[in-house]
Amino acid sequence: RPHKHVWYGEHDHRSHPTLISGAIMACSTQDFVTWKHEGVMLNYINLTDMVDGSDGPFHVEKPSVLFNSLSKKYVMWMLVDNVKRSLGMAGVAT
């Protein structure tokens, strides 16, 4: 069976300049020609600022995913920021 490759990317919805909604989406392929939509992996509504407690809305850039063989879980890390681009936080999700 061919190896499955998964691409993760941010999908922003901007209905107003100060509002961001969206999600990290995933697509998979075995041949880099035919792609399958895998759906939402992380919705922006689930993001919080646990450092400063700012309200957001937040968005994500450069999501990456790896498999942790010790915990047997997939781990996503990403850049989390606000509309003003003034946070620049790292985020982790399992």
Side-chain angles (χ1 to χ4, degrees), residues 13-48:
H13 298 282
R14 293 182 185 262
S15 58
H16 185 273
T18 61
L19 299 175
I20 298 175
S21 63
I24 301 300
M25 308 293 282
C27 294
S28 65
T29 186
Q30 293 179 339
D31 59 10
F32 293 99
V33 174
T34 307
W35 290 85
K36 177 183 176 191
H37 175 69
E38 298 289 351
V40 173
M41 301 294 114
L42 177 69
N43 195 308
Y44 291 178
I45 197 76
N46 295 316
L47 298 174
T48 59

Side-chain angles (χ1 to χ4, degrees), residues 8-10 24 44 60-65 76-80:
Y8 299 91
E10 60 264 20
I24 301 300
Y44 291 178
V60 170
E61 293 180 10
K62 301 179 181 172
S64 299
V65 176
M76 178 185 288
W77 73 97
M78 67 216 86
L79 174 73
V80 178

